[in-house]
Amino acid sequence: MVNLSAEEKDHVTSLWGKVDVEKVGGEALGRLLVVYPWTQRFFDSFGDLSSPSAVMGNAKVKAHGKKVLSAFSEGLAHLENLKGTFAKLSELHCDKLHVDPQNFTLLGNVLVVVLAEHFGKEFTPQVQAAYQKVVAGVANALAHKYH
Amino acid sequence: MSLTKTERAIIVSMWGKIATQADTIGTETLERLFLSYPQTKTYFPHFDLHAGSAQLRAHGSKVVAAVGDAVKSIDNIAGALAKLSELHAYILRVDPVNFKLLSHCLLVTVAARFPADFTAEAHAAWDKFMSVVSSVLTEKYR
């Protein structure tokens, strides 16, 4: 569960309404792989990840980024029950994908940077603070079923 | 971890633009830090942290100036920040986790103000650079 005030919820939903989930998803996942190259360990089957331009232009990265951000989008519709919403995905990431939960934090922060880049001034310190709570909540929910 | 030639070139060239807004960037970075990570305020009980406070502005300038010093001596960041490193180790003793938080907020501020320049490659270079700066500042902790 995330503790957002009514004002923070407002900041989150009104900005998210303007987000192109496909574009931002691809951008965020791409940047994760460029800025933290060790995260590429999960994507051996993705083909050419040899340079920033190769990563950012990679079709599989874009497609997977869209998938990931669509799931995140789902979460935004259920902020009062993130653990429930992400329970199945949490099990998947632990049992099948074997992803260190630290990676959820890394991706969350990269997403925040991408939102800042897209929205500029509109991504005020207050809006950022609301989003930091959301990405932390999602990361937490995704790690919740780990054992 | 050391910066490649390309990374250094990116940092130095972007700094030219960043320096023109140094003071407001410093203030905005700190505002973002204190709002997103309220626990960081525990290091400033003696400050007025309200938006627009003179202390916030002065401290923001100081922080960005120090980053600028690191940029100007990008081939020897440890040398440039030696005194600051001692200050953080022996006097300030800010927990190391906070350097990541401040670095993140600086990157968010720069991304918001210079979206065209803040490509994936630039993002990587800045994240790495701030990581080096943070390493230098915590080097003498124990």
Side-chain angles (χ1 to χ4, degrees), chain A residues 22-55:
Chain A
E22 176 166 7
K23 191 159 176 256
V24 170
E27 180 93 25
L29 185 65
R31 281 178 184 249
L32 179 76
L33 300 174
V34 169
V35 179
Y36 309 110
W38 54 93
T39 58
Q40 293 174 18
R41 68 191 299 283
F42 301 108
F43 302 104
D44 276 340
S45 64
F46 274 27
D48 187 7
L49 299 178
S50 60
S51 70
S53 52
V55 171

Side-chain angles (χ1 to χ4, degrees), chain B residues 93-104:
Chain B
R93 291 168 291 181
V94 171
D95 191 288
V97 71
N98 295 288
F99 293 96
K100 278 207 170 120
L101 305 181
L102 180 66
S103 299
H104 172 65

